[in-house]
Every structure is written in structure tokens, then in C-alpha cells.
Amino acid sequence: MSPSSGTSDSDAPRPARASWEPRDPTLPGPKPPPAPKRRRPRRVLRTLLGLLLLGTLLLAGALVAGYLLVEIPPANASAVAQSNVYLYRDGSPLARDGEVNRENVPLDRVPLTVRQAVLAAEDRDFHTSRAVDPKAMLRAAWNTVTGKGRQSGSTITQQYVKNYYLGQEQTLTRKAKEFFIAIRLGREKSKEEILQGYLNTSYFGRNAYGLQAAARAYYGKDVDGLDTAEGAYLASLLKAPSAYDVTTHPENRAKAVARWNYVLDGMVTEGWLTPADRAAARFPAPQTARSATGLSGQRGYLVQAVEEYLTSHGIVDEKTLAGGGFRITTTIEPATQEALVQAVEERVTSRLDPARSPADRYVRVGAAAIDPATGKVLAMYGGIDYTQQYVNNATRRDYQVGSTFKPFVFTAAVQSGAQTQYGEPITPYTVYDGDNRRPVQGWNGAPYDPANEDDESYGEIAVGAATDLSVNAVYAQMAVDVGPGHVRRTAIALGLPGTTPDLTASPSIALGPATASVLDMATAYATLAAHGRHGTYTLVARVSKDGRELAPPAPVTRQAVSREAADTTTSILRSVVEAGTGTAAQAAGRPAAGKTGTAEDDKAAWFAGYTPELATVVALMGQDPESGRQEPLYGALGLPRVNGGGPPAEIWADFTRQALAGTAPRDFELQLMPGAEEMPEVPPTPEGSQDDWYDTGEAGPGAAVSRSPLPPRTPVRGQ
């Protein structure tokens, strides 16, 4: 084709291409498309996020529903509390506790620093925080579950809701209601209204509900007269009303003062109190409490002891009990109680004459009697009158028990099979060195050389005679021979609380520096009387409210020490009554065992004793009625010195004789340790052979001495 034609080979039409080409069977086929990637983790994550969102929505819905459904209820029944009725063991009336003591006051009557003290104690962020604190609640729940102590995590608003609208029961339902009511209350009422309600409903002890009642109960003034220090002490009581009442429980004074300091320091931290005012503050000791109507005489002491028993054993909490409505049958026997009161009146109260003897102002009496077979407290003497002396002398733990502790040392010796420093078994006939100020041997601690009473030296003396005469040098050495730690454990096994102040494992433990209560000591001596079987004492037989019975703890008894250990101790304590320092107890007119005791500086005198049927401990204590300071009893009751063998033993004898009148005397049925059997009488000692004989101490000073042959042994001097 010529160029002039305007065409070329490239412009010529091409045959159409087929839409597919036949596959050459000799070639491999096309590769399949890649499989999609697995996306399971992403799917799981989306599922979890969906569940979390759903849970959040459900929780939010529950919170909204709870808020809408839970209304603020009317005040609960405890806002108008009932009386508690107390009965003797036979069902006859003992006492009726009065209505709850409450007087509402407006917030503007409460001094600002007193309000701030309460906030420093309970909720320092009250004015800026919400009605509920979920973080605090979770933290408290976690601490409770992990054993760091039960904590509420509640704000003041929640506490007010619990006090006024709900109750004290620890249930999830109550906590849920408290949560929603607190939220609604926080929206509907001002902080001032909530704080006012809280201050008027909180319990401060002494049956005082509200700050006004507390001001009257503790300081005898209206709330608007409280100063900062007094307000801080009342705020401290909110944590533990009874425990921090330093007049009822003087042994807890250190804890109460520490709590008071915590409140004041918190006020300084928050800027509510200047450091200078803080430094000038002094602990404001409260006044002696005044009892409610109907609790005069011994009734108030008995009610107080019963209330402490109920709360300490978890039968009912303190605030619920104070709300009233309980019917409580005690173990106190009317006739036995009256016999104890009469014995104290006859031997002590009627003889007090402060005009003649100023020391008579200091005399206080405490006593308690227990049935060894059951552990039931049958009688208790707490003081001259609950309306005049509020502190219960039978339950207080701030006076030394003195030599009434010594039998526990001997019991521990027999129980453990202890030996002297020379490897000889300790029995009633083992001889010790009783010289005054003799240093104890075998003790790795600080040197210890106790003085005997009146600095008397006794030379070689058998354990039985040393018990009759209460020789300190002998028992301090015996405590080392036994092991002070074992002595302490034995005392606790017999019935003394492990928390007893000054119950320290050292040689001095034998001399009784421990400050156990009269009731504690009666429990321990009842264990000896019961042949070593110990049962926790009980003051309550039945408790009911609105016809519903509340079960007291079932009595649990155990063999605290062996029968041989308890009975051998009884054998040497019988000698104390027959020929030692406790001969005044013979006036009971029946077989008896007992021990006298005197506290340091003669500030207390004790007699602890028992028959097979009844264990009773009596103590005279010296205390200044104005300052509360412990005072010696020199010159009281017209006596140069008051010791356990005097008025305490006389009260014991009079009471035991009356309490057991009409019952035939019973002798002790004793199973003694080997070597403790009573040795036979022998002819008088031949002249010139005194070294072959020794005094068993069965007779006592000034009486005819019965001598028994000493088994072949090396004299134990210097043990």
C-alpha cells in the first residue's frame, strides 16, 4: 500500500481476542486465594468489653433503682428505747434499767471546737466529702476479710442513718439500705442537719445518747459549757464507749488518753486547733458517774457486771443492749447476795468512822462468790452504793493481788513436776531457805532479793510452813525453779485473763504484782476447789427480747491442771486456815482452804478461800474518794495495819457460814501427789538430836508444834 493512502499495517484491524483462553493441561493450575486471617483474640476482647459495658449498665441501673426505690424511713424503734429488766436466778426482780438518756440540742448550742473534735475523731473530710465513701467501704471490707480488724468504713452520714433510721445488725441488707438512704439524705439534708442528728443520736456510754446527755453524764454540765479538751474526750468515747470510760475501767486509762491525743492532734492537722493550744491541753478526767433510778445499792454493780458479760461474750452488742427491751435472768441468788452484803456491813461498813480515823475514807470492798461445780456467780459486792461509788470493786483490775497469787506457783510446780536447784521434787515438805532478802538462784535476769513481810528471816523452812507464813523468799525461788513462764501459763489456765496487767514472767510474779480482779481470782480459786477443772464464769442464765431467746454461750469445762496438782495445793491452803495467816476463816465452821494477800504499800488486803461448795474472794482496797488515787490502809478500821487475815478473812467466814447455813459440812476429797501425804505423828524429839527433825509448819506461830521425820536428804540451803 502506498503511503498516500493514509493507512499502514499498524492501522489494519486485528482479530478480536477471546474472553478466555484454554488452559494448557500441562501447566499447573492457578493458586487458590489466601485464607482469611483468624481474628479470635479480637472477638474475645470485643465480648469482654461488651460484658463490662453490660455490667456497668446493670450496676448503674441497680444504683438508680435503689436510689428511686429506697425511701428515707421514719426513726427506728431504738429512738424511743425500752427498759431492760434484770432478774435474780429464781426469777424475782433484781433491777430495771431506766429509759435511754437522751436530750436533743440544736447544733448552734454545741461549741465549734467540740464539733471539730468529733469530726477529727470520726470523719475529718465530712464537710467536703460525699455522703458515702465507696473507697473507704472497700478498704474496710478488705481489712476485715484479711484479718486486720473489723472496720466499718462508714461516713458520719452513714453512721447517722444506722443510728436513727436502721439498726446495728451487721447484714448485707442493712448495709445496702444504709448506702442508699445515706445518698438520698446527703441530697435532701444539709451537712449541718446531718451533723446535728449524728451528735444527738450517737452513744457515749453511761446510758447517754447524744452529746448533751454525755456532757451531763461525764462533766456535770450542759453541752454549751464544754471546752475543747472535754469535747475531745467525749469524741474519743465514740470508738469504744465503755472501754474508754476511765472511771469504770481505770486499767484502760492509757488507751483512752492515747485516743484523746489522737483527736487533738487531728484538730491541729486540720487547722482547727493551734499548736500552742494543743500543747496547753490537759486530759480532763470525767466525774464519777451518777446511776439511773432503781440502781442504788448493789443493784447497779450487778447490772453493770451483767452488761459487761453480755457484750464481752458477744451475746448482744453494747448499743443494742442500751436500746432496751431485754429480759435478763442472772445467776445471782437473792439469799446468797444478801448474806454477802450483811457480812460486809457487819465486818467493815458499820465500823467505818472517818471522823475518828481519816483512813476510813479510803476503804473500798469488793467480793465475789462462785459455785465451783458450775462456774455460776452466786453473789457479788461492788461497793457501798452504786449511786455513790460508781466503780465496781469486784470487776476492776487495778489493785495488786499480793500473796493470794502464791498458790498458783505451787500448783505450777506440782503440775510440771518441777525440782529445786538441787534436783529435789517440790512437795509440801520440801525445805527452802526463807531468809529475808535472799537473792534468788538460777535466774539469768536482773538480781532479785525480795523482802519478807516485816523483814522476818525464817532460815530453813518447809513449803507448807512457808505458805502458812507467806514467806516471799521461798516463793520467789520456787517461781524460778518452776519457770516464771510456766507459772504464768498455769495462772491463766486456772482462770486469770491473759491480758491481766503486770502478769509478767519473772521471779516477782510469785509475790502477786498482777492486778487481777476479785472476780478473776474467784474464778481461779474455784478451779482449785473443783479439783483442777475450769469452767468460764457465768453471770447470765437466760436472755430474751420480744419473746425471742438469745442463747448465752454454752458452759465449757476442761481439766486446766491435774487433780493431783489442784488437790495438793488445797492441802497446803487448808493449813493456812488451820494454823497460818488465815485462821480467822475458821469461823465459817466447816473445812476450808484459803490464802491471805497484801498489795504493795498495804493499798489492798485480800482473802481468797473456798469450801467444796463455794469459792469466795474478798478484798479491801484503799482509794481517795476525791482524786481516785490508791492509798495505804494504815489505821483504817482502827487497826495499825489491815491485812488479809483480818477483815477480809472475817467477811469471808461470816458470809460462808450464812450462805451455807442449813447444809451439812463437807470435807475435801483430795488426791495428793506422791510425797505429799500427811506424815504420822512421832514422839517428841530426843534432846540433842534436833538436826534429825523439822517443823512442817502445820501449827503456826505460838502454837504447839507437830514435828515429822524428814526423809533422808541433803538440807536445801541457798535454793
Side-chain angles (χ1 to χ4, degrees), residues 184-451:
R184 185 178 286 274
L185 201 68
R187 291 178 177 273
E188 298 184 12
K189 290 195 175 185
S190 67
K191 291 287 188 180
E192 288 70 25
E193 289 177 297
I194 293 172
L195 182 59
Q196 176 178 295
Y198 175 76
L199 295 178
N200 281 325
T201 57
S202 295
Y203 183 61
F204 291 84
R206 297 192 182 183
N207 200 33
Y209 276 86
L211 201 54
Q212 165 65 12
R216 299 296 308 176
Y218 287 89
Y219 294 109
K221 61 177 67 173
D222 290 328
V223 66
D224 49 13
L226 292 172
D227 62 29
T228 303
E230 293 166 342
Y233 176 69
L234 295 181
S236 302
L237 293 171
L238 291 167
K239 181 177 177 64
S242 293
Y244 287 169
D245 187 340
V246 296
T247 62
T248 306
H249 290 285
E251 70 274 13
N252 291 343
R253 181 182 177 88
K255 294 180 180 179
V257 173
R259 180 68 178 173
W260 177 76
N261 284 322
Y262 166 82
V263 173
L264 291 178
D265 291 340
M267 295 179 69
V268 174
T269 301
E270 296 297 324
W272 299 332
L273 187 66
T274 66
D277 289 340
R278 168 68 183 92
R282 296 293 179 268
F283 184 74
Q287 67 180 9
T288 300
R290 303 294 184 264
S291 70
T293 304
L295 299 181
S296 60
Q298 297 304 305
R299 292 191 295 272
Y301 299 119
L302 295 172
V303 167
Q304 183 190 79
V306 169
E307 288 179 344
E308 289 188 5
Y309 178 87
L310 290 171
T311 56
S312 64
H313 286 78
I315 301 172
V316 59
D317 68 84
E318 187 174 345
K319 291 183 180 179
T320 302
L321 181 62
F326 289 91
R327 187 175 183 84
I328 302 160
T329 302
T330 71
T331 59
I332 303 296
E333 294 182 342
T336 309
Q337 176 69 22
E338 181 60 26
L340 183 56
V341 173
Q342 288 183 2
V344 175
E345 171 69 22
E346 174 66 23
R347 292 294 177 174
V348 173
T349 308
S350 64
R351 301 180 181 182
L352 295 176
D353 186 359
R356 174 180 55 85
S357 176
D360 283 355
R361 295 175 56 247
Y362 302 148
V363 176
R364 305 286 183 269
V365 181
I370 294 178
D371 179 353
T374 64
K376 294 179 178 178
V377 180
L378 305 182
M380 178 184 295
Y381 186 93
I384 188 170
D385 191 311
Y386 186 74
T387 63
Q388 300 177 38
Q389 296 174 11
Y390 182 70
V391 179
N392 189 337
N393 296 321
T395 59
R396 66 191 300 171
R397 294 189 176 108
D398 57 339
Y399 279 84
Q400 294 179 342
V401 302
S403 292
T404 55
F405 191 91
K406 286 175 179 170
F408 307 155
V409 182
F410 182 76
T411 302
V414 180
Q415 174 72 15
S416 63
Q419 298 179 340
T420 68
Q421 298 286 305
Y422 286 80
E424 299 182 354
I426 298 175
T427 75
Y429 299 104
T430 301
V431 174
Y432 273 89
D433 186 336
D435 283 345
N436 186 54
R437 292 289 185 186
R438 177 191 170 280
V440 298
Q441 306 297 314
W443 173 245
N444 296 326
Y448 185 60
D449 56 344

Side-chain angles (χ1 to χ4, degrees), residues 81-84 86 95-101 207 292-295 322-324:
Q82 306 174 60
S83 297
N84 289 323
Y86 298 84
R96 179 182 291 273
D97 203 354
E99 295 291 330
V100 169
N101 180 20
N207 200 33
T293 304
L295 299 181

Side-chain angles (χ1 to χ4, degrees), residues 4-209:
S4 62
S5 65
T7 62
S8 68
D9 293 341
S10 59
D11 294 329
R14 296 180 180 180
R17 188 170 180 173
S19 60
W20 56 272
E21 296 180 359
R23 181 175 64 86
D24 188 342
T26 64
L27 298 176
K31 294 182 179 180
K37 294 182 179 180
R38 303 179 67 183
R39 298 182 179 181
R40 184 173 299 172
R42 192 174 297 174
R43 186 180 305 162
V44 171
L45 181 59
R46 284 199 301 266
T47 302
L48 291 176
L49 289 175
L51 291 175
L52 179 60
L53 178 60
L54 178 62
T56 302
L57 291 174
L58 290 175
L59 178 60
L63 292 174
V64 172
Y67 179 81
L68 295 175
L69 293 175
V70 177
E71 300 287 344
I72 298 178
N76 62 30
S78 64
V80 185
Q82 306 174 60
S83 297
N84 289 323
V85 176
Y86 298 84
L87 307 173
Y88 284 108
R89 185 177 180 179
D90 62 1
S92 58
L94 189 162
R96 179 182 291 273
D97 203 354
E99 295 291 330
V100 169
N101 180 20
R102 178 189 288 113
E103 181 182 351
N104 293 338
V105 294
L107 190 63
D108 58 11
R109 280 194 58 190
V110 182
L112 177 60
T113 57
V114 175
R115 283 180 260 164
Q116 291 168 334
V118 172
L119 297 180
E122 296 296 308
D123 189 354
R124 297 178 185 180
D125 297 325
F126 171 74
H127 283 294
T128 58
S129 63
R130 297 179 179 178
V132 296
D133 186 350
K135 290 183 179 179
M137 295 174 66
L138 291 174
R139 182 172 60 250
W142 174 254
N143 289 337
T144 300
V145 170
T146 55
K148 296 181 181 178
R150 177 177 294 179
Q151 300 178 20
S152 69
S154 298
T155 64
I156 277 182
T157 303
Q158 289 174 271
Q159 292 183 55
Y160 171 49
V161 169
K162 179 177 64 175
N163 292 341
Y164 192 72
Y165 297 106
L166 299 175
Q168 304 298 322
E169 65 272 17
Q170 296 292 330
T171 65
L172 291 176
T173 301
R174 198 272 294 164
K175 291 295 291 184
K177 289 182 179 179
E178 174 187 306
F179 181 87
F180 290 113
I181 295 172
I183 293 176
R184 185 178 286 274
L185 201 68
R187 291 178 177 273
E188 298 184 12
K189 290 195 175 185
S190 67
K191 291 287 188 180
E192 288 70 25
E193 289 177 297
I194 293 172
L195 182 59
Q196 176 178 295
Y198 175 76
L199 295 178
N200 281 325
T201 57
S202 295
Y203 183 61
F204 291 84
R206 297 192 182 183
N207 200 33
Y209 276 86

Side-chain angles (χ1 to χ4, degrees), residues 359 361-363 399 600-604 620-625 627-634:
R361 295 175 56 247
Y362 302 148
V363 176
Y399 279 84
E600 188 176 5
D601 296 328
D602 285 4
K603 293 177 180 177
L620 265 65
M621 308 165 184
Q623 182 176 24
D624 189 302
S627 67
R629 184 176 58 249
Q630 294 187 12
E631 295 286 352
L633 291 171
Y634 299 124

Side-chain angles (χ1 to χ4, degrees), residues 411-662:
T411 302
V414 180
Q415 174 72 15
S416 63
Q419 298 179 340
T420 68
Q421 298 286 305
Y422 286 80
E424 299 182 354
I426 298 175
T427 75
Y429 299 104
T430 301
V431 174
Y432 273 89
D433 186 336
D435 283 345
N436 186 54
R437 292 289 185 186
R438 177 191 170 280
V440 298
Q441 306 297 314
W443 173 245
N444 296 326
Y448 185 60
D449 56 344
N452 295 329
E453 187 172 2
D454 297 327
D455 292 322
E456 185 77 25
S457 287
Y458 297 92
E460 289 188 351
I461 185 171
V463 168
T467 307
D468 291 347
L469 301 173
S470 203
V471 181
N472 290 339
V474 170
Y475 269 88
Q477 182 62 57
M478 191 189 302
V480 173
D481 295 344
V482 176
H486 186 70
V487 172
R488 184 181 188 278
R489 289 190 294 272
T490 300
I492 293 171
L494 290 171
L496 265 61
T499 56
T500 300
D502 295 322
L503 186 61
T504 306
S506 67
S508 65
I509 193 174
L511 278 57
T515 56
S517 72
V518 168
L519 184 56
D520 295 335
M521 295 298 288
T523 301
Y525 272 73
T527 304
L528 295 174
H531 307 293
R533 289 196 64 79
H534 170 67
T536 304
Y537 83 90
T538 177
L539 265 167
V540 175
R542 292 182 59 190
V543 183
S544 64
K545 183 176 183 180
D546 300 327
R548 182 173 60 90
E549 294 286 335
L550 281 69
V556 177
T557 60
R558 57 182 173 80
Q559 195 70 38
V561 297
S562 69
R563 177 162 183 166
E564 283 187 353
D567 287 0
T568 307
T569 302
T570 297
S571 71
I572 66 172
L573 296 184
R574 289 193 64 180
S575 178
V576 172
V577 173
E578 293 169 358
T581 57
T583 54
Q586 295 178 13
R590 55 184 64 226
K595 184 69 185 76
T596 59
T598 306
E600 188 176 5
D601 296 328
D602 285 4
K603 293 177 180 177
W606 298 68
F607 184 79
Y610 51 94
T611 68
E613 309 94 337
L614 190 62
T616 307
V617 175
V618 181
L620 265 65
M621 308 165 184
Q623 182 176 24
D624 189 302
E626 302 298 330
S627 67
R629 184 176 58 249
Q630 294 187 12
E631 295 286 352
L633 291 171
Y634 299 124
L637 297 167
L639 302 171
R641 295 177 62 183
V642 176
N643 55 49
E650 294 169 359
I651 292 172
W652 185 94
D654 282 3
F655 164 68
T656 303
R657 184 179 64 254
Q658 294 181 58
L660 299 179

Side-chain angles (χ1 to χ4, degrees), residues 704-716:
V705 177
S706 170
R707 299 183 181 274
S708 301
L710 180 68
R713 62 189 299 281
T714 302
V716 188

